[in-house]
Amino acid sequence: MESMIDIICFFEDLFLEYGMNPVLAQYLNLLINIVALTFIVFAANYVVKHFVIEAISAFTNRTKTTIDDFLIKSNFPRYIGRFVPIYIVYELFPLIFIDFPKILEFFFYTMKIYIIILVVWICRSVLRSTRNYLKTRSEFNDKPLESFSQIIMIFLWIIGLMFMFSVITGKSVIGFAISLGAASAVILLIFKDTILGLVASIQVSVNDIVRIGDWI
């Protein structure tokens, strides 16, 4: 850690040796570090995108299974690859802005929210890939896969919003879920018929009660 801080403060120490104003030296060093961090992040993103992801795509094209092909089409490897530049930024940014606590506080809030959104995107990618794969199976031709996937995505976004609310407010997710209970009771009361109809349609589809061509 100390060696990394020494590297980050290298130009500031160099400028101070040449008699530069300390404030100017600090901000010039900060500017150089920001440019260097930007270059490192773009370089890491380029390597992941053009080498790692392309290698994964080439490998999946040779496999006999099709689920991995759907994962490629839904950008699953690309979303996973974003964790590499995120990790670099998460490690180096606090060291660069160690003297700016307000900026660091905003940075950590932003990064946590972005990671939550990225996780939801990854789950959405897996869900879409699974849905598209099941569409190729004959036993799922009469199943409302679109409706199921949309319902699951609604729950995923609700969970994601709860975690984002927890990050912003500093409250626990469990506490927020408990406080949401009263509001949920009101919502259930207002949309009772709609929810019951949705549950009934899901039960009909899952239990395969009605099929195309049945007489009423």
Side-chain angles (χ1 to χ4, degrees), residues 63-124:
T63 58
K64 296 181 179 180
T65 58
T66 56
I67 183 65
D68 50 4
D69 297 326
F70 288 117
L71 286 172
I72 295 295
K73 291 179 181 178
S74 63
N75 295 322
F76 176 77
R78 184 168 297 180
Y79 290 144
I80 295 295
R82 290 184 181 179
F83 280 105
V84 175
I86 286 176
Y87 176 77
I88 294 173
V89 173
Y90 205 86
E91 290 292 324
L92 295 182
F93 194 94
L95 297 177
I96 295 175
F97 287 87
I98 193 171
D99 296 324
F100 302 89
K102 293 294 183 181
I103 295 178
L104 284 181
E105 183 179 1
F106 176 76
F107 165 77
F108 284 119
Y109 279 131
T110 305
M111 288 297 295
K112 289 177 181 178
I113 292 175
Y114 178 72
I115 291 173
I116 293 170
I117 295 174
L118 183 58
V119 170
V120 174
W121 285 347
I122 292 173
C123 294
R124 182 186 63 180

Side-chain angles (χ1 to χ4, degrees), residues 87-205:
Y87 176 77
I88 294 173
V89 173
Y90 205 86
E91 290 292 324
L92 295 182
F93 194 94
L95 297 177
I96 295 175
F97 287 87
I98 193 171
D99 296 324
F100 302 89
K102 293 294 183 181
I103 295 178
L104 284 181
E105 183 179 1
F106 176 76
F107 165 77
F108 284 119
Y109 279 131
T110 305
M111 288 297 295
K112 289 177 181 178
I113 292 175
Y114 178 72
I115 291 173
I116 293 170
I117 295 174
L118 183 58
V119 170
V120 174
W121 285 347
I122 292 173
C123 294
R124 182 186 63 180
S125 175
V126 174
L127 183 61
R128 286 180 176 178
S129 301
T130 305
R131 179 197 63 195
N132 294 333
Y133 171 72
L134 293 179
K135 283 183 178 180
T136 63
R137 305 292 297 271
S138 58
E139 59 266 32
F140 292 97
N141 288 340
D142 57 342
K143 304 299 181 185
L145 299 176
E146 291 284 349
S147 300
F148 290 160
S149 62
Q150 289 174 2
I151 293 171
I152 295 173
M153 275 308 307
I154 290 173
F155 280 106
L156 286 175
W157 275 115
I158 290 174
I159 294 172
L161 289 173
M162 289 174 61
F163 275 96
M164 284 188 276
F165 179 83
S166 175
V167 170
I168 295 172
T169 61
K171 297 181 179 179
S172 66
V173 178
I174 297 176
F176 176 71
I178 294 174
S179 62
L180 197 63
S184 300
V186 176
I187 293 173
L188 289 174
L189 183 62
I190 295 174
F191 298 100
K192 180 181 68 175
D193 295 334
T194 304
I195 295 173
L196 289 176
L198 176 63
V199 172
S201 64
I202 294 174
Q203 288 178 338
V204 169
S205 301

Side-chain angles (χ1 to χ4, degrees), residues 38-59:
T38 304
F39 176 79
I40 293 172
V41 170
F42 273 99
N45 186 66
Y46 180 86
V47 171
V48 171
K49 182 178 180 180
H50 292 276
F51 291 97
V52 179
I53 295 179
E54 291 297 331
I56 294 174
S57 301
F59 175 76

